[in-house]
Amino acid sequence: MASKQISFFKTLEDTNLLDKIRYSAGQYAASYIKGESEFKLDVDEDPDDAASVKIKDKNFSWDISVDGLMLTRKIKIESPSMLFGNDGIADADSILGLAVICTSSVSDRLETFNICSFGADETSIEYVGKVNLSAGKYRGNAILKTVLYLVENRGKNSGFPKQSGTILGELDRVNIILFDNDTLFPVYEVQSEEPSPWWAICEWTNIEEDPFTSEFVAIVINKSSKIYPQISLKENSSDFNPGYLAEIMSSAIQTIIEKIKESTTQWNRIMSDVTFANGTIAHMVQYMRTTLEWDFSSPNLMAKSIRSYVYSRVVPQ
Amino acid sequence: MKWKTLTRSDSSVIANEWNSINSDEFLHTLESWNNELPATLTIDYRKMRDGLWKIYRTSSEEAQEGNSKKYLADLFLGLKMYAFLNDDFDMNASTASDDDIWRFIQMKVVPDLLFDRWSEDNGSDRINDDRFWKDSRRMWLKTMWWYIHLSLQGDSLVETKRILMGNGSDDISQLVERSGSGYRVDLYREIMRRYHESGRKDKQILRKVLKLNVVRCATVEPLLFSSGIEDYVNDLFEYFEG
């Protein structure tokens, strides 16, 4: 149950100002930066929850713990002046601010992102709000609350809040699901004395039951390898070569699929229209065939179609 | 690093077994932790086990005898472990917020270390459940990692150690157990800096300040305070310092 804080001053929730100020916001756009390139991510609305969106990466490269996440969206208030004065929630001489409060209880983190500040004389405000979730700080999900807050009150009217930072109301909130088992190809790094710079993990017992997670299927990058600086997912090394990484990912995916093909019965089911449980390895490989349109009809066509897809997304065009 | 995890329910089963077996069987378990457990671990986790034991031993040795020996041993362990896990295993705030990762470390990698530290005062149980696996805010190694993370001064562990040397064990729980819906990391770091600066004349001032902060956060967002976090924190302390 949502709690209501007892406040000694009016907030947006105590008024019908949210309609009157004509607040609107677009959908968040998601991307991340690797090296000097920006990569776009998909933002899918949750059909069961209008206030939730899932961040997805169909090229399997994005990992929020390594890459972070940049979210942007347009925000508009057409009649901000109505927030000020006796019929508003702030003194006419106040400065108000718009900010996003990002809370992720699963990540044990709360931080804020300022968008803009404005006074009573603004006729309309329109900004692009930016939320930059740094690498290594977030996992799971986060709630982004767009709030109005008091930057400064220079007025003398005692009925309005004076304390800078006072939250005057919530404009909207979006639940961002940051990790999606359906689309993230598991890649992780280890320190190993093995000479190989990478290898594939194929540890499943049943592809129709085991989830598509790093415990069962993964690409492993060896940090001890001499070419590690060129393929590192974590270092922003000037030696980073996206072509090498794309080739490793392509080869590893091909290896994993070849391994799955060893079970003829299950492979035939993947090649048919059998419905598999969401999130299983079989479901994911079928998705590669049907949605990503990879051609599994022969080894050479499979190698080509996997590379066409992976290179187009990992190597900046 | 591929982090392994252990769920709360699986941890409960393991702890119940450790608590229920007879003394001879438990002695055998203690021996197996020392003799057989390392061979069951991956290279990374073996390295982690060796490193954590070394840190534990040296931290205990460095802590001077006296009233605050246990706190200082914990503090030294926290500082060294923070650097060790972050530098050698790429631990960060994201992975450190995952209880299942800590449960695996505490129950599967260094259970003997946890037992050595928390074997006293467990009542009829051998295992201190809260410190081993049960309480997210009290699991020992996790708590110490976050105590250092929330107190970190810039990037300097030397400066962090300096401001934390005069604290006590109660300060660890006061800080780490007040997460709310998420830690305001920069705010807590400033609170810990200012706590050190206060000279701790009032032994209860950290508890009072953190409680007042919770009350104020109901209406004010400290991170949006126009004159900055430092002023906000100063206000909290001055409320009690007069």
Side-chain angles (χ1 to χ4, degrees):
Chain A
M1 192 173 77
S3 63
K4 176 81 176 81
Q5 185 66 37
I6 296 171
S7 179
F8 295 105
F9 48 83
K10 271 193 301 184
T11 64
L12 212 51
E13 287 78 10
D14 303 316
T15 70
N16 57 358
L17 282 169
L18 191 54
D19 292 331
K20 287 183 177 174
I21 62 174
R22 300 173 70 191
Y23 165 78
S24 60
Q27 194 193 50
Y28 277 107
S31 64
Y32 69 98
I33 306 284
K34 193 184 274 292
E36 293 179 358
S37 302
E38 182 178 6
F39 296 87
K40 302 283 182 198
L41 298 166
D42 293 337
V43 180
D44 290 355
E45 286 181 12
D46 185 340
D48 300 323
D49 180 3
S52 282
V53 294
K54 279 184 184 176
I55 309 297
K56 290 190 169 191
D57 179 22
K58 290 200 176 75
N59 68 13
F60 316 125
S61 296
W62 175 65
D63 178 350
I64 188 163
S65 70
V66 177
D67 304 311
L69 175 66
M70 177 75 85
L71 295 160
T72 57
R73 70 171 182 171
K74 276 187 184 168
I75 286 178
K76 191 172 183 180
I77 298 179
E78 293 183 45
S79 305
S81 60
M82 301 193 79
L83 294 164
F84 299 87
N86 289 337
D87 295 329
I89 53 174
D91 192 284
D93 285 333
S94 295
I95 302 291
L96 297 185
L98 275 176
V100 174
I101 298 177
C102 177
T103 310
S104 174
S105 54
V106 71
S107 315
D108 279 333
R109 189 169 191 87
L110 185 156
E111 64 182 325
T112 60
F113 301 89
N114 271 307
I115 299 172
C116 66
S117 58
F118 57 95
D121 54 349
E122 297 277 355
T123 52
S124 172
I125 55 175
E126 187 169 355
Y127 281 90
V128 174
K130 289 182 182 171
V131 174
N132 186 10
L133 306 185
S134 309
K137 292 179 180 172
Y138 287 91
R139 68 190 180 95
N141 71 310
I143 293 169
L144 303 186
K145 288 189 286 186
T146 302
V147 298
L148 268 173
Y149 71 98
L150 181 69
V151 177
E152 185 183 2
N153 180 358
R154 293 172 294 197
K156 294 197 169 75
N157 190 333
S158 60
F160 293 115
K162 295 278 186 190
Q163 180 67 64
S164 170
T166 300
I167 301 298
L168 296 171
E170 184 178 312
L171 294 164
D172 66 14
R173 69 169 65 193
V174 179
N175 181 31
I176 306 277
I177 298 164
L178 301 167
F179 180 83
D180 186 356
N181 278 331
D182 288 355
T183 56
L184 185 72
F185 201 102
V187 182
Y188 62 86
E189 299 181 345
V190 297
Q191 200 98 43
S192 170
E193 289 165 13
E194 290 278 340
S196 175
W198 69 272
W199 54 89
I201 297 285
C202 305
E203 296 285 340
W204 58 81
T205 50
N206 185 344
I207 59 167
E208 295 186 32
E209 291 178 1
D210 295 338
F212 194 80
T213 58
S214 60
E215 192 176 350
F216 302 100
V217 54
I219 300 169
V220 183
I221 305 285
N222 185 0
K223 290 171 77 171
S224 302
S225 159
K226 283 181 182 170
I227 67 163
Y228 174 71
Q230 289 152 288
I231 58 176
S232 167
L233 292 161
K234 298 193 174 179
E235 311 291 338
N236 270 331
S237 164
S238 56
D239 294 331
F240 177 68
N241 184 329
Y244 285 3
L245 184 61
E247 185 53 36
I248 286 172
M249 290 186 73
S250 303
S251 302
I253 292 168
Q254 193 173 348
T255 304
I256 289 163
I257 291 168
E258 292 288 359
K259 182 74 179 173
I260 291 170
K261 284 175 82 172
E262 289 176 5
S263 168
T264 313
T265 310
Q266 287 185 315
W267 182 253
N268 288 339
R269 282 164 62 78
I270 288 172
M271 296 299 280
S272 71
D273 290 328
V274 171
T275 303
F276 296 105
N278 201 14
T280 59
I281 296 168
H283 172 261
M284 193 60 206
V285 177
Q286 193 178 54
Y287 171 87
M288 292 166 180
R289 182 180 72 81
T290 56
T291 306
L292 304 184
E293 297 180 329
W294 293 358
D295 189 340
F296 293 155
S297 62
S298 69
N300 54 316
L301 290 175
M302 178 162 72
K304 186 181 175 190
S305 61
I306 290 173
R307 279 162 182 77
S308 296
Y309 184 86
V310 174
Y311 273 73
S312 69
R313 281 157 178 80
V314 176
V315 182
Q317 303 298 305
Chain B
M1 174 67 182
K2 169 73 179 92
W3 294 101
K4 288 178 180 280
T5 57
L6 188 68
T7 64
R8 198 169 193 274
S9 57
D10 287 346
S11 303
S12 170
V13 170
I14 295 167
N16 282 342
E17 190 187 326
W18 289 341
N19 277 327
S20 62
I21 55 180
N22 65 39
S23 301
D24 286 345
E25 288 169 328
F26 189 66
L27 270 176
H28 177 72
T29 301
L30 285 174
E31 284 169 14
S32 74
W33 283 344
N34 192 36
N35 300 327
E36 294 153 31
L37 185 147
T40 67
L41 301 172
T42 62
I43 293 171
D44 281 337
Y45 277 108
R46 265 209 301 276
K47 180 183 162 195
M48 185 185 293
R49 176 180 164 80
D50 292 345
L52 288 175
W53 262 108
K54 189 178 173 190
I55 286 168
Y56 178 62
R57 288 196 185 98
T58 56
S59 300
S60 299
E61 286 162 12
E62 285 169 28
Q64 300 289 315
E65 286 298 334
N67 292 340
S68 56
K69 178 175 168 57
K70 272 199 168 169
Y71 168 74
L72 289 176
D74 282 348
L75 171 64
F76 298 158
L77 173 136
L79 289 159
K80 290 174 189 171
M81 178 186 72
Y82 187 82
F84 174 59
L85 294 181
N86 294 8
D87 293 346
D88 289 16
F89 299 92
D90 295 328
M91 181 165 268
N92 55 39
S94 167
T95 43
S97 63
D98 189 336
D99 286 352
D100 289 352
I101 285 176
W102 288 107
R103 285 193 187 99
F104 185 87
I105 294 171
Q106 301 197 164
M107 302 287 284
K108 293 284 192 181
V109 181
V110 285
D112 38 0
L113 191 153
L114 268 286
F115 184 75
D116 195 74
R117 172 64 180 82
W118 294 102
S119 58
E120 296 169 15
D121 306 325
N122 291 333
S124 58
D125 288 337
R126 291 190 183 101
I127 302 302
N128 186 324
D129 286 338
D130 285 350
R131 296 296 184 178
F132 265 74
W133 62 274
K134 197 172 188 179
D135 188 331
S136 177
R137 304 283 164 223
R138 307 195 81 205
M139 287 161 55
W140 182 47
L141 296 178
K142 180 190 177 195
T143 299
M144 292 315 303
W145 190 95
W146 279 97
Y147 180 57
I148 303 304
H149 188 66
L150 295 173
S151 305
L152 200 63
Q153 301 296 298
D155 290 330
S156 171
L157 285 175
V158 174
E159 177 61 9
T160 306
K161 181 179 180 181
R162 190 182 73 82
I163 67 147
L164 295 179
M165 282 292 285
N167 291 3
S169 295
D170 187 50
D171 295 326
I172 300 172
S173 53
Q174 289 298 335
L175 184 69
V176 177
E177 291 175 21
R178 289 180 200 277
S179 70
S181 50
Y183 295 118
R184 294 169 173 87
V185 176
D186 291 340
L187 174 69
Y188 277 23
R189 288 173 178 174
E190 177 58 21
I191 287 174
M192 295 310 280
R193 188 198 66 76
R194 183 63 173 75
Y195 178 43
H196 165 74
E197 201 176 73
S198 77
R200 304 178 188 83
K201 294 179 196 90
D202 175 357
K203 301 283 182 201
Q204 297 296 313
I205 197 163
L206 182 64
R207 183 180 63 80
K208 292 176 185 172
V209 159
L210 289 168
K211 284 180 92 167
L212 178 61
N213 176 53
V214 170
V215 172
R216 289 197 174 167
C217 283
T219 52
V220 173
E221 177 45 61
L223 304 179
L224 298 172
F225 206 66
S226 62
S227 53
I229 290 173
E230 203 176 318
D231 272 3
Y232 174 84
V233 170
N234 214 32
D235 275 0
L236 293 176
F237 277 87
E238 285 185 351
Y239 183 86
F240 297 106
E241 289 171 343

